[in-house]
């Protein structure tokens, strides 16, 4: 079952590249002696998570309770649900803990802390809660100097919950593209999260865990003093956005979409392929970066990037492949009908989500089917 | 099982609005006496297609052979696979026809026509083929005046295949937003496709079917002389892109994403909700239209649009709801944690594809689960 038998469009994983990406992150973090907790939202795939755990991951991060349920069912106990808890989801979190899952939940408001404590007391459950810290104004969390941090910590502790630690995500790291800027944002993420932990401890509250991370900062951190664990997701596949940020080469990207040429508009220099946005996702994450890859970088079927050839446009099940700048008058000869190409995606999390399964391609040319799940 | 019991995020269908959208299209087309063949790629949902067929649809259009297989299994025989055929997919098309599916396939090149004829002869199958016509330079197809049209027709006929007709899609209709412009592009789609049919017939070739359509042109056509059927997909749900084009009101949009407020950044005027791009899709189709709705228009849980409130940004499982223009300092009071909102999507086809199922909401407040499928 080699690549010639894979029907298109298909989400291919280059297994060697995936293992190299996993090993690279562990090599970087091992030097600092911190634990690593991958974010499984990127792939939602058992075989990928198995490889991450085999390489030394300690526990996982999830973005939905469905991910927690699926991976707990397959044997992962140590799980952080890294999206702010709401009261309506507490029964589902309780059920997971009652079944033996070491599920940690996250709060960043007094309202939520109170709701967790009240629900926990009512059901005799001592939830472990991590407080989310806002290190860059990117999205959610409590700023490290805000008095609210201590109020939330006390509310949880006084309410009989376990205040497990603090958690931050420097989402703004995606906006940089130089090594120095990434080192600086990684240091900001570290320093502000450690500061929040120190404030909690100074207030007499427990704070064992200091959890930070994003793929750009995890790979760029030059100092992890005070940090106990790092989280990252997309590092396992990489993508064109990560390439533009500067944390991977095109040849590190482990995920691609295999597609077939189905027609041409020769005068326009277009080859039409059978991967549209349904296969690539609508993610145009490189649009506002220095190098816009359209809907993806075109590669040969073997995986070698074809410089200048992009998926320039996409409809639901049609993609348009063309050369940047001047149209290629020989497009129909270069890519005859039936030609198979690989397209590197802008965003591995979004592209993977469009596919019920990955086709994992090993060095010997064999492919395996690795299912993934979706929904909530 | 009313809406209060639906967990978030969820893809809601307002069933009344859906039926009204279906009825409106049929009322428009019935006046011209042409058949209607819905494109099921929009929902990939049995219950929606059942409603379309009950309202008088004659056959369906599909964008993948998986859609053909799924809907043929549920009893639909008359199916057009409207994406250009490639040789590698002919065995799958043959298998469908051998099981009794009246599957029509599409070609727009000599290469493909020859491959279909050769494969058909080899397997003793008389495929019915429609020739795709390019009416606006939007994507694929043969221009109506191109000699290639006759060559492809003769290749199919001489090869023993059934030349069933011509098919066009005025994809460029999405670029207009006035009634007059839509009437004009609809007339262009009609006239050019009918011209192609006339040229085939003048060459002594059969061409029974003249199939055209897109949601904007189907709803705007003022003349359908020579057309035998119209196709459209997104009309059944509508979305913000269609609103901006001018073919529906906000209150016609039948699809929304139900979400829950999980936190705030009060100083920024942000409410954080549990629908991110995984629930909305990454589709930013209104970005280049006159009115940019971000990731979607915010509505109350009951479905009433809240003027000026948009999902302004989205991460995988987090959306940021804010007011356009000046931030709302009272956002946390307006939308406390736990508040449920509906978000109208940019693009119903893309948003639906992110969800394993729809929650169909009927007038009495009851909901049903309507599964949808994905993948290839």
């Amino acid at each position: 079952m080699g690549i010639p038998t894979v029907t298109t469009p298909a989400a291919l994983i280059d297994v060697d590249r995936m293992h190299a990406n996993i090993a690279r992150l562990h090599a970087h973090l091992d030097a600092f002696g911190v634990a690593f907790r991958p974010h499984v939202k990127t792939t939602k795939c058992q075989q990928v998570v198995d490889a991450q755990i085999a390489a030394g991951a300690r526990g996982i991060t999830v973005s939905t309770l469905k991910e927690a349920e699926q991976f707990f069912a397959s044997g992962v106990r140590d799980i952080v649900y890294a999206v702010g808890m709401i009261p309506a989801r507490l029964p589902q979190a309780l059920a997971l803990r009652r079944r033996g899952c070491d599920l940690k939940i996250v709060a960043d408001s007094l309202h939520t802390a109170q709701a967790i404590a009240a629900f926990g007391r009512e059901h005799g459950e001592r939830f472990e809660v991590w407080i989310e810290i806002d290190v860059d104004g990117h999205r959610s969390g409590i700023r490290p100097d805000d008095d609210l941090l201590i109020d939330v910590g006390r509310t949880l502790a006084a309410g009989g919950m376990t205040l497990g630690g603090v958690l931050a995500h420097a989402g703004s790291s995606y906006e940089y593209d130089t090594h120095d800027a990434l080192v600086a944002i990684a240091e900001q993420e570290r320093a502000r999260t450690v500061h929040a932990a120190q404030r909690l401890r100074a207030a007499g509250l427990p704070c064992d865990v200091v959890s930070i991370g994003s793929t750009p900062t995890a790979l760029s951190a030059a100092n992890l003093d005070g940090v106990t664990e790092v989280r990252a997701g997309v590092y396992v596949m990489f993508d064109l956005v990560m390439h533009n940020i500067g944390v991977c080469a095109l040849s590190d990207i482990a995920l691609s979409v295999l597609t077939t040429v189905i027609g041409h508009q020769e005068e326009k220099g277009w080859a039409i392929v059978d991967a549209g946005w349904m296969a690539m996702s609508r993610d145009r994450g490189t649009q506002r970066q220095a190098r816009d890859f359209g809907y993806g970088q075109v590669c040969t079927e073997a995986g070698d990037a074809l410089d200048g050839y992009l998926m320039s446009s996409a409809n639901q099940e049609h993609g348009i492949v063309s050369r940047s700048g001047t149209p290629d008058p020989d497009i129909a000869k270069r890519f005859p009908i039936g030609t198979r190409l690989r397209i590197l995606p802008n965003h591995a999390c979004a592209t993977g989500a469009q596919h019920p399964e990955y086709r994992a391609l090993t060095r010997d040319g064999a492919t395996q089917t690795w299912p993934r799940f979706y929904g909530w």
Side-chain angles (χ1 to χ4, degrees), chain A:
Chain A
M1 288 291 284
I3 190 172
T5 68
V6 174
T7 57
T8 60
L12 285 188
I13 291 177
D14 180 314
V15 174
D16 276 359
R17 291 185 184 184
M18 178 189 84
H19 284 301
N21 295 340
I22 293 171
R24 178 181 155 205
L25 189 72
H26 280 279
H28 180 67
L29 295 180
D30 286 352
F32 297 102
V34 300
F36 178 63
R37 181 187 293 277
H39 205 318
V40 300
K41 74 182 177 71
T42 299
T43 65
K44 306 195 188 200
C45 171
Q46 187 64 50
Q47 287 86 346
V48 175
V49 173
D50 287 347
Q52 291 171 307
I53 289 172
R58 297 187 220 164
I60 62 171
T61 315
V62 299
S63 69
T64 65
L65 288 178
K66 180 168 185 170
E67 292 164 40
E69 286 170 348
Q70 296 269 332
F71 287 108
F72 175 63
S74 73
V76 182
R77 276 193 76 244
D78 178 359
I79 301 178
V80 174
Y81 172 45
V83 174
M85 180 50 62
I86 52 172
R89 269 195 264 277
L90 283 166
Q92 199 180 353
L94 176 66
L96 269 162
R97 288 181 63 88
R98 289 280 159 88
R99 284 154 54 204
C101 179
D102 180 18
L103 180 74
K104 274 76 76 164
I105 59 177
V106 165
D108 72 348
S109 73
L110 214 48
H111 177 96
T112 301
Q114 288 162 345
I116 293 169
F119 183 88
R121 279 198 308 274
E122 185 187 344
H123 293 87
E125 182 68 30
R126 188 177 173 88
F127 284 103
E128 178 172 345
V129 186
W130 294 6
I131 300 177
E132 185 172 2
I133 307 301
D134 176 8
V135 292
D136 58 1
H138 171 66
R139 187 172 65 200
S140 40
I142 301 173
R143 280 171 306 176
D145 270 323
D146 196 322
D147 290 343
L148 179 61
L149 173 67
I150 309 301
D151 290 347
V152 168
R154 287 195 174 130
T155 299
L156 291 165
M161 303 297 107
T162 299
L163 178 51
V166 288
L167 168 146
H169 166 62
S172 65
S173 64
Y174 279 49
E175 293 159 24
Y176 301 98
D177 60 5
T178 67
H179 179 67
D180 288 352
L182 292 171
V183 170
I185 188 74
E187 174 57 16
Q188 174 178 302
E189 183 186 42
R190 181 203 72 82
R192 292 186 179 178
T193 314
V194 169
H195 177 58
Q198 287 166 338
R199 285 190 65 223
L200 286 167
R201 293 173 191 140
L205 291 161
C207 185
D208 287 346
V209 174
V210 178
S211 174
I212 63 172
S214 71
T215 288
T217 55
L219 288 166
S220 306
N223 172 18
L224 289 171
D225 290 353
V227 170
T228 65
E229 68 166 39
V230 169
R231 307 181 324 281
V234 79
Y235 79 98
V236 69
M237 294 293 147
F238 284 128
D239 53 31
L240 296 168
V241 164
M242 289 295 132
H243 166 270
N244 280 350
I245 289 170
V247 293
C248 72
L250 287 181
S251 57
D252 295 327
I253 299 175
L255 178 67
S256 62
V257 173
L258 187 68
T259 186
T260 303
V261 175
I262 64 172
H264 303 93
Q265 293 283 1
E266 289 191 56
E267 289 162 32
K268 294 177 178 165
W270 291 356
I272 317 285
V273 298
D274 71 351
W277 58 252
M278 188 64 85
M280 297 306 303
S281 91
R282 271 291 198 194
D283 198 296
R284 288 281 290 102
T286 58
Q287 187 174 26
R288 54 189 201 132
Q289 293 186 308
R291 185 168 169 189
D292 184 349
F293 283 94
Y295 280 89
Q297 167 67 49
V298 176
C299 304
T300 64
E301 182 175 13
D304 300 314
L306 294 167
D307 193 38
Y309 289 87
L310 302 179
M311 183 181 288
S312 51
S313 179
N315 298 132
Q316 187 159 336
E317 299 288 352
H318 298 80
I320 294 176
V321 162
S322 63
R323 189 166 67 189
S324 317
T326 53
D328 178 356
D330 298 321
I331 194 89
K333 293 192 193 84
R334 190 178 304 278
F335 305 131
I337 289 175
T339 302
R340 285 150 64 101
L341 301 168
R342 287 197 217 180
I343 315 290
L344 300 178
N346 284 314
H347 187 174
C349 308
T351 300
Q354 304 296 113
H355 295 262
E357 62 196 21
Y358 295 110
R359 303 303 297 262
L361 182 66
T362 51
R363 194 177 312 183
D364 58 4
T367 59
Q368 295 180 328
T369 298
W370 290 1
R372 50 168 296 148
F373 60 90
Y374 78 136
W376 292 269

